[in-house]
Amino acid sequence: MSTTKKVLLLGAGFVTKAPISILAESGIEVTVACRHLDSAQKLCHGITNATPIALDVTVPEQLDVEVAKVDVVVSLIPYTLHAAVIRSAIRHKKNVVTTSYVSPAMLELEKEVKEAGITVMNEIGLDPGIDHLYAVKTIDDVHRVGGKIISFLSYCGGLPAPEASGNPLGYKFSWSPRGVLLALRNSAKYYQDGQVVEIPGEKLMGSAKPYFIYPGFALVAYPNRDSTPYKERYRIPEAQTVIRGTLRYQGFPEFVRVLGDIGFLSDETVPYLAQSGTPPAWKDVLGKMLEVAAPEEANLVSAITSRTKFQDDAEKQRIIAGLRWLGLFSTEPVLPRDNPLDTLCATLEAKMQYAPDERDMVLLQHRFEIEYPDGRREIRTSTLLEYGEPNGSSAMARLVGVPCAVATKFVLDETISEKGILAPLDSKINDPLMKELKMKYGIECREEILP
């Protein structure tokens, strides 16, 4: 009877390559399952111990057949499908690893997961993932000596390296822009000086503020969704300020806010963007969105100016130049996708992909304001900065994929053995992960006490 461990990896996204390679090189048999066989074959190319298959995870019978053959299922598919994967794992008493946040649909299965005696390890990529590891570490260190966390700020950004950031958004896409743009419609909620602050989605970009980490980066930060549960998740009830958010380069929020004011964040179907028929010119689409009868550039700019606000003339000129760069005033035909959001995404995909020799960058920083029993106060930071490799793997793919692979190995060898729906929120799980990521892969947050 074979003692070789077996993993079923679900997904075709850009973060899958690292887990496949790391697991296969460790002697683990990896079955890579995608909806389309050619996608799985590309991911497995040149990797010993990796076998590609076609699989539709929405068909329980197909999923069950493959889950039954392995020890762990790594689910890197959209989070809405994780519950179906976990149900199959429950039926066959198999463990699961995901990089996604624990969702309500997943939590509903916790009783069945524990009854089946399986581990479902989640939130073990970058954000969530590495961010949890180093937040919990510092919080535990402070609590151990009787200190309190007065303020906790955590910001993370996946960005182009500065030399690759020269476009109106200061941003590039490794995957579909749709998720990035949809996230900009989300409301935000956090603690600030003991009070709950809520920001509606339409005002999110207006809430962005300059944020200092290194002098060489012109960054802004804005809150990301609901940070309030992290008082409990991180066990810091004493904290007066708790904010988790996103980093972008300066200029991004203002540009996106204007796109939203024009109507480009809407995914409501409109007849003039139907995928059938002759594609209209961009200036004609913009004219219909702005209700401009004669859609020449001067008229379109005037209509945009009446719909939005610019801080000053310099900002107006910069943003109008950016819209021109995207081709929105031109006779260039659009790639119609039924609604403004997806039609814009098609253009962003075409114009804002990484070139083969360009590299991305990931910057993550926690900032803790600490009070000790003697009344002394201290600011401590925990910072991760990593660049991708030109013509190689991206920093984002590495920082999501490697922690996922390490967690999978630890579930296989029972370093992580707790049963239930888990996340890396305590030292028993986290300490071995941090050690392995640092010692074997050079992945760590650098901790500093500010003067």
Side-chain angles (χ1 to χ4, degrees):
M1 185 176 179
S2 173
T3 58
T4 302
K5 298 293 186 180
K6 298 179 180 181
V7 166
L8 173 65
L9 188 144
L10 307 173
F14 78 108
V15 302
T16 57
K17 196 75 174 181
I20 295 167
S21 299
I22 290 170
L23 295 172
E25 288 167 7
S26 300
I28 297 162
E29 292 183 11
V30 184
T31 300
V32 180
C34 304
R35 184 183 291 269
H36 301 291
L37 181 60
D38 61 336
S39 298
Q41 289 171 331
K42 288 176 185 175
L43 290 170
C44 294
H45 181 71
I47 300 177
T48 307
N49 288 337
T51 303
I53 64 168
L55 175 64
D56 185 347
V57 299
T58 64
V59 181
E61 295 78 13
Q62 287 188 31
L63 184 59
D64 279 354
V65 168
E66 300 304 328
V67 168
K69 298 176 183 177
V70 300
D71 301 291
V72 172
V73 182
V74 178
S75 186
L76 297 176
I77 53 181
Y79 77 94
T80 52
L81 298 172
H82 290 328
V85 173
I86 295 169
R87 288 190 192 96
S88 180
I90 290 167
R91 289 192 288 271
H92 297 282
K93 292 183 167 53
K94 306 294 183 177
N95 299 315
V96 179
V97 175
T98 86
T99 58
S100 301
Y101 286 106
V102 174
S103 68
M106 295 159 74
L107 277 178
E108 287 177 4
L109 298 171
E110 175 138 45
K111 183 173 181 289
E112 295 171 64
V113 165
K114 287 184 174 179
E115 287 173 352
I118 64 173
T119 298
V120 180
M121 182 67 199
N122 307 283
E123 303 190 24
I124 189 58
L126 166 65
D127 176 7
I130 295 171
D131 60 342
H132 290 333
L133 301 180
Y134 283 88
V136 169
K137 176 185 182 299
T138 297
I139 290 165
D140 283 355
D141 287 348
V142 169
H143 284 170
R144 197 173 294 116
V145 296
K148 297 178 180 179
I149 303 296
I150 303 303
S151 171
F152 172 75
L153 307 178
S154 177
Y155 291 102
C156 184
L159 298 159
E163 73 276 7
S165 64
N167 65 54
L169 281 170
Y171 195 80
K172 291 198 172 178
F173 299 96
S174 302
W175 61 96
S176 169
R178 193 176 208 273
V180 174
L181 294 182
L182 281 175
L184 303 176
R185 306 191 317 192
N186 292 328
S187 59
K189 187 177 179 182
Y190 55 89
Y191 287 104
Q192 179 78 57
D193 298 326
Q195 302 297 314
V196 174
V197 178
E198 298 189 57
I199 299 175
E202 64 271 17
K203 294 185 177 180
L204 181 66
M205 290 298 93
S207 74
K209 299 287 191 298
Y211 196 77
F212 180 87
I213 295 180
Y214 294 121
F217 296 130
L219 299 168
V220 295
Y222 54 87
N224 183 22
R225 301 203 183 194
D226 188 357
S227 299
T228 59
Y230 285 85
K231 267 197 180 190
E232 181 178 350
R233 294 197 89 194
Y234 286 165
R235 298 181 290 280
I236 47 173
E238 72 274 19
Q240 297 299 295
T241 296
V242 178
I243 306 174
R244 300 173 82 247
T246 300
L247 294 171
R248 293 287 182 259
Y249 289 126
Q250 286 182 19
F252 178 94
E254 296 85 356
F255 196 85
V256 168
R257 180 177 51 76
V258 171
L259 290 175
D261 289 345
I262 292 171
F264 277 114
L265 298 187
S266 169
D267 54 2
E268 291 186 17
T269 299
V270 291
Y272 53 85
L273 291 175
Q275 297 189 48
S276 57
T278 303
W282 257 121
K283 72 183 188 73
D284 294 325
V285 169
L286 194 56
K288 288 185 180 297
M289 294 178 67
L290 295 170
E291 300 177 338
V292 173
E296 301 309 318
E297 180 171 328
N299 298 333
L300 294 170
V301 170
S302 177
I304 291 168
T305 303
S306 70
R307 280 207 182 192
T308 192
K309 292 180 180 179
F310 299 104
Q311 181 176 329
D312 51 37
D313 190 62
E315 180 180 281
K316 176 181 175 179
Q317 295 306 319
R318 179 182 66 80
I319 291 174
I320 295 300
L323 298 175
R324 190 180 298 119
W325 181 87
L326 285 174
L328 302 193
F329 305 131
S330 74
T331 58
E332 180 183 343
V334 304
L335 298 168
R337 295 291 187 270
D338 297 320
N339 62 67
L341 174 71
D342 289 313
T343 300
L344 176 65
C345 285
T347 291
L348 295 179
E349 284 185 40
K351 291 181 176 285
M352 296 172 63
Q353 291 284 338
Y354 283 94
D357 61 343
E358 291 181 333
R359 58 184 186 156
D360 73 326
M361 178 185 91
V362 166
L363 181 56
L364 162 69
Q365 188 182 77
H366 300 316
R367 182 183 176 94
F368 307 86
E369 183 177 344
I370 301 162
E371 184 180 275
Y372 291 104
D374 61 3
R376 180 172 49 93
R377 289 208 171 196
E378 175 182 279
I379 302 294
R380 194 182 300 188
T381 60
S382 187
T383 309
L384 171 67
L385 173 62
E386 180 143 339
Y387 292 94
E389 301 171 8
N391 304 298
S393 65
S394 70
M396 182 64 74
R398 169 173 151 81
L399 293 176
V400 175
V402 173
C404 174
V406 171
T408 302
K409 290 173 65 176
F410 283 180
V411 171
L412 283 167
D413 68 15
E414 297 188 350
T415 300
I416 298 174
S417 59
E418 186 178 340
K419 310 306 178 187
I421 304 287
L422 309 181
L425 297 172
D426 68 70
S427 59
K428 182 180 178 182
I429 290 174
N430 294 8
D431 289 352
L433 289 167
M434 285 190 292
K435 182 179 179 181
E436 181 84 351
L437 288 170
K438 178 181 177 179
M439 301 303 293
K440 190 164 185 177
Y441 300 99
I443 296 173
E444 64 172 322
C445 289
R446 298 191 177 276
E447 297 169 296
E448 182 179 4
I449 297 172
L450 300 186

